[in-house]
Amino acid sequence: MQILAANKMLFAGQKLKAEDVYWRAWPKNLLYSGLIKKSDQKNPDKLSYYGSPLRYDIQSDEPVTKGAIIAGSKGTYLAAFIDPGMRAMSIRVRASTGAGGFVSPGDYVDVILAYRMRVSS
């Protein structure tokens, strides 16, 4: 049996491309739900999964599963990635007050809003 596998390290959010994967031999007795089998594909050279973002990192030679691919996602990677009931929003940050590198994709953060109320009379 042949299944889809990564031919290099793939990262969450990255769009899957044909050059990122190959068909790997896989024992029939080790098949499990979610594997993408070559025999199930109408055109194994032009998969519908290409161009879809990945939900999580995939190691080189690891199987690429249906669960790893955000297929048919509407909107952005973030909209497809967050769990139901969660929210994501952007905030304006100035270079003079912001710092980078502390939060990575997939991190959960608490945000506290501090403001001064202005009442006009």
Side-chain angles (χ1 to χ4, degrees):
M1 183 65 59
Q2 290 190 315
I3 62 157
L4 196 65
N7 63 15
K8 61 182 179 181
M9 178 71 184
L10 304 176
F11 298 96
Q14 177 180 337
K15 290 187 177 181
L16 188 66
K17 295 180 272 184
E19 58 266 20
D20 297 335
V21 295
Y22 70 102
W23 294 107
R24 175 184 178 169
W26 195 260
K28 286 185 180 183
N29 63 330
L30 295 179
L31 290 174
Y32 55 90
S33 177
L35 289 175
I36 300 170
K37 298 181 277 186
K38 187 174 185 178
S39 60
D40 292 344
Q41 307 306 312
K42 290 179 184 175
N43 187 348
D45 296 326
K46 295 182 181 181
L47 298 176
S48 62
Y49 302 112
Y50 296 152
S52 297
L54 297 173
R55 190 176 307 278
Y56 49 79
D57 295 351
I58 301 173
Q59 300 292 320
S60 181
D61 294 319
E62 181 180 341
V64 177
T65 64
K66 294 174 186 174
I69 300 170
I70 304 173
S73 64
K74 300 229 184 333
T76 63
Y77 164 75
L78 182 59
F81 184 75
I82 61 175
D83 295 327
M86 295 189 74
R87 295 182 187 175
M89 60 177 42
S90 63
I91 58 172
R92 183 175 32 180
V93 177
R94 286 180 254 127
S96 60
T97 61
F102 296 116
V103 180
S104 298
D107 289 348
Y108 289 88
V109 297
D110 293 323
V111 178
I112 299 172
L113 172 66
Y115 66 97
R116 290 186 209 158
M117 182 179 284
R118 296 182 187 168
V119 179
S120 56
S121 46

